[in-house]
mmCIF file of all heavy atoms in Angstrom:
data_model
loop_
_atom_site.group_PDB
_atom_site.id
_atom_site.type_symbol
_atom_site.label_atom_id
_atom_site.label_comp_id
_atom_site.label_asym_id
_atom_site.label_seq_id
_atom_site.Cartn_x
_atom_site.Cartn_y
_atom_site.Cartn_z
ATOM 1 N N THR A 27 110.563 86.452 99.002
ATOM 2 C CA THR A 27 111.489 86.904 100.028
ATOM 3 C C THR A 27 111.935 88.326 99.688
ATOM 4 O O THR A 27 111.380 88.958 98.789
ATOM 5 C CB THR A 27 112.692 85.956 100.149
ATOM 6 O OG1 THR A 27 113.521 86.380 101.241
ATOM 7 C CG2 THR A 27 113.508 85.927 98.872
ATOM 8 N N GLY A 28 112.910 88.817 100.392
ATOM 9 C CA GLY A 28 113.332 90.201 100.235
ATOM 10 C C GLY A 28 112.989 91.006 101.472
ATOM 11 O O GLY A 28 112.223 90.567 102.343
ATOM 12 N N ALA A 29 113.544 92.203 101.569
ATOM 13 C CA ALA A 29 113.369 93.023 102.771
ATOM 14 C C ALA A 29 111.898 93.308 103.059
ATOM 15 O O ALA A 29 111.446 93.206 104.206
ATOM 16 C CB ALA A 29 114.146 94.333 102.613
ATOM 17 N N SER A 30 111.124 93.661 102.034
ATOM 18 C CA SER A 30 109.718 93.998 102.259
ATOM 19 C C SER A 30 108.937 92.803 102.771
ATOM 20 O O SER A 30 108.130 92.913 103.705
ATOM 21 C CB SER A 30 109.091 94.517 100.954
ATOM 22 O OG SER A 30 109.720 95.707 100.544
ATOM 23 N N ALA A 31 109.145 91.627 102.177
ATOM 24 C CA ALA A 31 108.423 90.425 102.609
ATOM 25 C C ALA A 31 108.829 90.017 104.021
ATOM 26 O O ALA A 31 107.988 89.594 104.824
ATOM 27 C CB ALA A 31 108.696 89.284 101.629
ATOM 28 N N ILE A 32 110.103 90.156 104.343
ATOM 29 C CA ILE A 32 110.579 89.779 105.677
ATOM 30 C C ILE A 32 109.990 90.705 106.737
ATOM 31 O O ILE A 32 109.524 90.258 107.793
ATOM 32 C CB ILE A 32 112.117 89.798 105.718
ATOM 33 C CG1 ILE A 32 112.674 88.665 104.842
ATOM 34 C CG2 ILE A 32 112.627 89.667 107.146
ATOM 35 C CD1 ILE A 32 114.169 88.694 104.676
ATOM 36 N N PHE A 33 109.994 92.008 106.467
ATOM 37 C CA PHE A 33 109.410 92.950 107.431
ATOM 38 C C PHE A 33 107.911 92.716 107.583
ATOM 39 O O PHE A 33 107.362 92.854 108.687
ATOM 40 C CB PHE A 33 109.680 94.393 106.999
ATOM 41 C CG PHE A 33 111.017 94.908 107.438
ATOM 42 C CD1 PHE A 33 112.073 94.994 106.551
ATOM 43 C CD2 PHE A 33 111.227 95.313 108.744
ATOM 44 C CE1 PHE A 33 113.315 95.463 106.954
ATOM 45 C CE2 PHE A 33 112.464 95.780 109.167
ATOM 46 C CZ PHE A 33 113.512 95.855 108.260
ATOM 47 N N TYR A 34 107.229 92.360 106.502
ATOM 48 C CA TYR A 34 105.797 92.062 106.586
ATOM 49 C C TYR A 34 105.566 90.847 107.495
ATOM 50 O O TYR A 34 104.673 90.871 108.351
ATOM 51 C CB TYR A 34 105.252 91.788 105.188
ATOM 52 C CG TYR A 34 103.813 91.334 105.171
ATOM 53 C CD1 TYR A 34 102.769 92.258 105.229
ATOM 54 C CD2 TYR A 34 103.488 89.976 105.096
ATOM 55 C CE1 TYR A 34 101.449 91.845 105.220
ATOM 56 C CE2 TYR A 34 102.167 89.562 105.083
ATOM 57 C CZ TYR A 34 101.153 90.495 105.148
ATOM 58 O OH TYR A 34 99.845 90.068 105.138
ATOM 59 N N ASP A 35 106.357 89.799 107.310
ATOM 60 C CA ASP A 35 106.205 88.611 108.159
ATOM 61 C C ASP A 35 106.518 88.923 109.612
ATOM 62 O O ASP A 35 105.854 88.404 110.525
ATOM 63 C CB ASP A 35 107.122 87.500 107.647
ATOM 64 C CG ASP A 35 106.671 86.948 106.308
ATOM 65 O OD1 ASP A 35 105.484 87.108 105.969
ATOM 66 O OD2 ASP A 35 107.500 86.360 105.588
ATOM 67 N N MET A 36 107.521 89.764 109.847
ATOM 68 C CA MET A 36 107.846 90.147 111.216
ATOM 69 C C MET A 36 106.682 90.888 111.872
ATOM 70 O O MET A 36 106.368 90.667 113.049
ATOM 71 C CB MET A 36 109.106 91.020 111.226
ATOM 72 C CG MET A 36 110.387 90.272 110.883
ATOM 73 S SD MET A 36 111.823 91.370 110.692
ATOM 74 C CE MET A 36 111.880 92.139 112.313
ATOM 75 N N GLU A 37 106.015 91.760 111.111
ATOM 76 C CA GLU A 37 104.872 92.483 111.660
ATOM 77 C C GLU A 37 103.726 91.529 111.982
ATOM 78 O O GLU A 37 103.072 91.670 113.019
ATOM 79 C CB GLU A 37 104.405 93.539 110.662
ATOM 80 C CG GLU A 37 105.362 94.712 110.501
ATOM 81 C CD GLU A 37 104.865 95.715 109.484
ATOM 82 O OE1 GLU A 37 103.789 95.471 108.876
ATOM 83 O OE2 GLU A 37 105.542 96.735 109.287
ATOM 84 N N GLN A 38 103.489 90.552 111.101
ATOM 85 C CA GLN A 38 102.405 89.608 111.343
ATOM 86 C C GLN A 38 102.682 88.751 112.583
ATOM 87 O O GLN A 38 101.784 88.531 113.410
ATOM 88 C CB GLN A 38 102.226 88.694 110.117
ATOM 89 C CG GLN A 38 101.828 89.428 108.853
ATOM 90 C CD GLN A 38 100.545 90.206 109.004
ATOM 91 O OE1 GLN A 38 99.527 89.673 109.418
ATOM 92 N NE2 GLN A 38 100.580 91.487 108.681
ATOM 93 N N VAL A 39 103.916 88.280 112.719
ATOM 94 C CA VAL A 39 104.273 87.473 113.883
ATOM 95 C C VAL A 39 104.194 88.306 115.160
ATOM 96 O O VAL A 39 103.711 87.842 116.200
ATOM 97 C CB VAL A 39 105.687 86.877 113.702
ATOM 98 C CG1 VAL A 39 106.155 86.198 114.986
ATOM 99 C CG2 VAL A 39 105.704 85.876 112.549
ATOM 100 N N SER A 40 104.653 89.557 115.073
ATOM 101 C CA SER A 40 104.605 90.437 116.246
ATOM 102 C C SER A 40 103.167 90.691 116.681
ATOM 103 O O SER A 40 102.855 90.656 117.884
ATOM 104 C CB SER A 40 105.305 91.759 115.922
ATOM 105 O OG SER A 40 105.216 92.650 117.010
ATOM 106 N N ASP A 41 102.275 90.937 115.714
ATOM 107 C CA ASP A 41 100.868 91.170 116.061
ATOM 108 C C ASP A 41 100.245 89.924 116.689
ATOM 109 O O ASP A 41 99.492 90.018 117.665
ATOM 110 C CB ASP A 41 100.081 91.573 114.812
ATOM 111 C CG ASP A 41 100.464 92.953 114.310
ATOM 112 O OD1 ASP A 41 101.068 93.705 115.086
ATOM 113 O OD2 ASP A 41 100.159 93.264 113.145
ATOM 114 N N ALA A 42 100.539 88.749 116.124
ATOM 115 C CA ALA A 42 99.983 87.510 116.671
ATOM 116 C C ALA A 42 100.504 87.252 118.083
ATOM 117 O O ALA A 42 99.739 86.845 118.974
ATOM 118 C CB ALA A 42 100.323 86.338 115.755
ATOM 119 N N ASP A 43 101.794 87.493 118.298
ATOM 120 C CA ASP A 43 102.363 87.303 119.636
ATOM 121 C C ASP A 43 101.766 88.283 120.633
ATOM 122 O O ASP A 43 101.530 87.934 121.805
ATOM 123 C CB ASP A 43 103.885 87.473 119.591
ATOM 124 C CG ASP A 43 104.577 86.312 118.890
ATOM 125 O OD1 ASP A 43 103.923 85.271 118.696
ATOM 126 O OD2 ASP A 43 105.757 86.459 118.533
ATOM 127 N N LEU A 44 101.509 89.519 120.187
ATOM 128 C CA LEU A 44 100.930 90.514 121.081
ATOM 129 C C LEU A 44 99.520 90.108 121.504
ATOM 130 O O LEU A 44 99.161 90.216 122.686
ATOM 131 C CB LEU A 44 100.908 91.877 120.393
ATOM 132 C CG LEU A 44 100.344 93.048 121.211
ATOM 133 C CD1 LEU A 44 101.165 93.245 122.479
ATOM 134 C CD2 LEU A 44 100.315 94.319 120.376
ATOM 135 N N ARG A 45 98.718 89.630 120.552
ATOM 136 C CA ARG A 45 97.369 89.180 120.906
ATOM 137 C C ARG A 45 97.419 87.984 121.849
ATOM 138 O O ARG A 45 96.630 87.892 122.796
ATOM 139 C CB ARG A 45 96.604 88.824 119.632
ATOM 140 C CG ARG A 45 96.200 90.035 118.795
ATOM 141 C CD ARG A 45 95.218 89.634 117.720
ATOM 142 N NE ARG A 45 95.824 88.749 116.745
ATOM 143 C CZ ARG A 45 96.418 89.163 115.637
ATOM 144 N NH1 ARG A 45 96.484 90.454 115.360
ATOM 145 N NH2 ARG A 45 96.938 88.294 114.781
ATOM 146 N N HIS A 46 98.354 87.063 121.596
ATOM 147 C CA HIS A 46 98.496 85.895 122.464
ATOM 148 C C HIS A 46 98.905 86.316 123.873
ATOM 149 O O HIS A 46 98.397 85.785 124.872
ATOM 150 C CB HIS A 46 99.528 84.938 121.868
ATOM 151 C CG HIS A 46 99.676 83.660 122.625
ATOM 152 N ND1 HIS A 46 98.681 82.714 122.702
ATOM 153 C CD2 HIS A 46 100.720 83.171 123.363
ATOM 154 C CE1 HIS A 46 99.092 81.697 123.439
ATOM 155 N NE2 HIS A 46 100.317 81.958 123.848
ATOM 156 N N MET A 47 99.819 87.295 123.958
ATOM 157 C CA MET A 47 100.271 87.774 125.263
ATOM 158 C C MET A 47 99.120 88.448 126.021
ATOM 159 O O MET A 47 98.977 88.261 127.231
ATOM 160 C CB MET A 47 101.421 88.763 125.074
ATOM 161 C CG MET A 47 101.975 89.324 126.385
ATOM 162 S SD MET A 47 103.144 90.657 126.119
ATOM 163 C CE MET A 47 102.051 91.928 125.480
ATOM 164 N N GLU A 48 98.295 89.222 125.290
ATOM 165 C CA GLU A 48 97.178 89.886 125.953
ATOM 166 C C GLU A 48 96.181 88.874 126.508
ATOM 167 O O GLU A 48 95.611 89.080 127.591
ATOM 168 C CB GLU A 48 96.495 90.834 124.970
ATOM 169 C CG GLU A 48 97.344 92.053 124.607
ATOM 170 C CD GLU A 48 96.710 92.866 123.510
ATOM 171 O OE1 GLU A 48 95.766 92.353 122.857
ATOM 172 O OE2 GLU A 48 97.145 94.004 123.280
ATOM 173 N N ILE A 49 95.952 87.789 125.781
ATOM 174 C CA ILE A 49 95.021 86.765 126.258
ATOM 175 C C ILE A 49 95.520 86.131 127.558
ATOM 176 O O ILE A 49 94.750 85.805 128.460
ATOM 177 C CB ILE A 49 94.818 85.695 125.168
ATOM 178 C CG1 ILE A 49 94.080 86.301 123.971
ATOM 179 C CG2 ILE A 49 94.035 84.499 125.703
ATOM 180 C CD1 ILE A 49 93.971 85.366 122.791
ATOM 181 N N ILE A 50 96.839 85.973 127.668
ATOM 182 C CA ILE A 50 97.416 85.343 128.859
ATOM 183 C C ILE A 50 97.518 86.323 130.028
ATOM 184 O O ILE A 50 97.180 85.999 131.167
ATOM 185 C CB ILE A 50 98.801 84.754 128.531
ATOM 186 C CG1 ILE A 50 98.665 83.624 127.495
ATOM 187 C CG2 ILE A 50 99.487 84.232 129.791
ATOM 188 C CD1 ILE A 50 99.981 83.058 127.033
ATOM 189 N N THR A 51 97.977 87.547 129.730
ATOM 190 C CA THR A 51 98.270 88.494 130.815
ATOM 191 C C THR A 51 97.015 89.145 131.379
ATOM 192 O O THR A 51 97.019 89.565 132.547
ATOM 193 C CB THR A 51 99.224 89.588 130.321
ATOM 194 O OG1 THR A 51 98.641 90.246 129.179
ATOM 195 C CG2 THR A 51 100.565 88.992 129.936
ATOM 196 N N PHE A 52 95.947 89.280 130.600
ATOM 197 C CA PHE A 52 94.739 89.942 131.111
ATOM 198 C C PHE A 52 94.167 89.225 132.344
ATOM 199 O O PHE A 52 93.932 89.872 133.375
ATOM 200 C CB PHE A 52 93.695 90.039 129.999
ATOM 201 C CG PHE A 52 92.436 90.732 130.430
ATOM 202 C CD1 PHE A 52 92.354 92.116 130.447
ATOM 203 C CD2 PHE A 52 91.324 90.007 130.825
ATOM 204 C CE1 PHE A 52 91.197 92.765 130.849
ATOM 205 C CE2 PHE A 52 90.163 90.633 131.222
ATOM 206 C CZ PHE A 52 90.102 92.021 131.230
ATOM 207 N N PRO A 53 93.932 87.904 132.304
ATOM 208 C CA PRO A 53 93.429 87.249 133.523
ATOM 209 C C PRO A 53 94.412 87.317 134.688
ATOM 210 O O PRO A 53 93.997 87.472 135.843
ATOM 211 C CB PRO A 53 93.202 85.799 133.076
ATOM 212 C CG PRO A 53 93.101 85.859 131.578
ATOM 213 C CD PRO A 53 94.015 86.960 131.177
ATOM 214 N N MET A 54 95.718 87.216 134.373
ATOM 215 C CA MET A 54 96.708 87.296 135.447
ATOM 216 C C MET A 54 96.677 88.663 136.116
ATOM 217 O O MET A 54 96.722 88.778 137.353
ATOM 218 C CB MET A 54 98.096 86.995 134.891
ATOM 219 C CG MET A 54 98.275 85.570 134.366
ATOM 220 S SD MET A 54 99.901 85.324 133.607
ATOM 221 C CE MET A 54 100.975 85.724 134.973
ATOM 222 N N ALA A 55 96.602 89.729 135.305
ATOM 223 C CA ALA A 55 96.553 91.078 135.879
ATOM 224 C C ALA A 55 95.295 91.279 136.702
ATOM 225 O O ALA A 55 95.331 91.916 137.775
ATOM 226 C CB ALA A 55 96.622 92.115 134.751
#
């Protein structure tokens, strides 16, 4: 844990959510 580990996890979750959003929004668009 610690600030560096927390920010790393936030980046990983953000990247995964972004890819998931692109998979959903591309066909809709």
Side-chain angles (χ1 to χ4, degrees):
T27 185
S30 297
I32 292 173
F33 275 102
Y34 174 83
D35 291 339
M36 290 173 59
E37 290 179 358
Q38 297 302 307
V39 172
S40 177
D41 291 343
D43 288 345
L44 181 60
R45 288 192 294 269
H46 184 67
M47 180 189 68
E48 290 173 346
I49 293 174
I50 296 176
T51 57
F52 181 82
M54 295 176 59

